[in-house]
Amino acid sequence: MNLKNKVVIITGASSGIGKATAMKLAKEGASIVLCARSEDELNTLKDSIVKNGGKAMVVKTDVTKPSDFKKAISQTLDAYGSIDVLVNNAGLMPLSYVEKLKTDEWEKMVDVNIKGVFNGVAAVLPTMRKNKGGHIINISSSAAHNYFPGGAVYCATKIAVKMFSEGLRKELAPKYGIKVTSIEPGAVDTSLFESITDEDIKEKLKEMQKMTKLEAEDIADAIFYALNQPDRVNINDVYLMPTEQG
């Protein structure tokens, strides 16, 4: 896909992987729709993209609310006339041991990590079907492959995203030419770890924090790689790990 003038919606765009991806794809000529709850941070990012010659707009969006996604789609179509790419990036990772019964955190992860992806796909699919093409990028995780301490619920959400992505690809790619990719990184240097409230997990992760983790820009490059393929090629999964992570 030549990204020049393509329209890309990115959730969780205010920081981390979403922010890095927005900057990368804007530099490649895409028109970016920045979606997150943090409107001030989104506007700052938009200003930076525009200052550097790119195109971007902001739509304050809570991915757990289908109505917010409908608003984002409506505003995107009004501004740019089409939707070519959705990057379902918004996610939470409040790790905890199951016996702690932090059920509120479990529910938030399910709402954002799984239902948020469902909501995004449901919102863009009518336009992509009409266009007979498009690309859906879902941010899963290496946690879809391996359990790690405190990750029972988080890993469950990410393997759900991985399998949903595979189902989407098999249903949509042959019939409508809509590509689907699951991006599955290991530890990334983002603010995800800041959401952990379980003190035992924080102690357990101290050693990991010493490791050289992936940068958000590495994931943005992986997303660009998946997008920048000829029509005949669908990159199903991109599984990338820090060199130091076992």
Side-chain angles (χ1 to χ4, degrees):
M1 180 186 289
N2 182 347
L3 289 176
K4 188 72 174 176
N5 296 321
K6 296 297 184 182
V7 180
V8 180
I9 297 176
I10 303 175
T11 69
S14 59
S15 64
I17 293 170
K19 180 178 180 179
T21 301
M23 295 176 71
K24 170 74 175 179
L25 301 187
K27 186 177 179 180
E28 296 294 334
S31 299
I32 311 297
V33 182
L34 304 167
C35 297
R37 293 179 299 170
S38 307
E39 194 168 14
D40 289 345
E41 293 177 16
L42 291 180
N43 281 319
T44 299
L45 176 57
K46 173 193 170 183
D47 291 344
S48 177
I49 289 172
V50 172
K51 183 179 179 181
N52 285 286
K55 297 178 182 178
M57 62 179 286
V58 168
V59 184
K60 185 178 180 180
T61 308
D62 181 340
V63 298
T64 68
K65 297 178 179 178
S67 59
D68 276 19
F69 259 119
K70 289 179 181 178
K71 176 185 67 176
I73 298 308
S74 176
Q75 292 186 22
T76 298
L77 293 176
D78 285 346
Y80 297 127
S82 189
I83 299 165
D84 301 292
V85 178
L86 168 66
V87 181
N88 269 318
N89 166 69
L92 298 173
M93 194 182 71
L95 305 176
S96 66
Y97 290 112
V98 173
E99 66 183 63
K100 301 290 184 71
L101 293 177
K102 291 179 176 283
T103 55
D104 286 348
E105 294 181 355
W106 301 357
E107 290 175 10
K108 286 178 182 177
M109 277 191 281
V110 169
D111 286 345
V112 176
N113 297 2
I114 301 179
K115 292 182 181 177
V117 171
F118 291 173
N119 291 338
V121 170
V124 303
L125 195 50
T127 300
M128 289 187 176
R129 286 175 59 191
K130 181 180 178 181
N131 293 345
K132 292 289 184 179
H135 201 140
I136 297 169
I137 303 278
N138 294 327
I139 306 300
S140 179
S141 169
S142 64
H145 298 264
N146 298 293
Y147 166 82
F148 53 86
V153 177
Y154 179 74
C155 293
T157 67
K158 289 305 184 179
I159 198 167
V161 172
K162 176 179 172 62
M163 187 52 65
F164 182 57
S165 300
E166 180 65 0
L168 286 175
R169 182 188 67 80
K170 288 187 175 181
E171 290 186 20
L172 301 178
K175 190 173 183 180
Y176 299 107
I178 299 170
K179 298 183 182 184
V180 184
T181 302
S182 173
I183 304 290
E184 300 159 11
V188 184
D189 189 14
T190 68
S191 60
L192 267 185
F193 291 95
E194 296 174 8
S195 65
I196 299 171
T197 62
D198 188 325
E199 294 299 328
D200 293 331
I201 294 296
K202 288 182 180 180
E203 185 66 28
K204 193 85 173 180
L205 291 177
K206 281 184 178 178
E207 284 302 312
M208 178 182 284
Q209 300 293 21
K210 298 176 184 177
M211 174 184 70
T212 302
K213 295 187 281 293
L214 298 171
E215 298 289 339
E217 289 75 15
D218 300 326
I219 317 307
D221 288 342
I223 291 169
F224 176 68
Y225 165 73
L227 291 173
N228 193 34
Q229 298 296 321
D231 289 344
R232 66 182 179 275
V233 179
N234 187 99
I235 303 296
N236 296 11
D237 310 275
V238 181
Y239 185 15
L240 60 161
M241 299 288 286
T243 304
E244 297 176 15
Q245 186 173 356

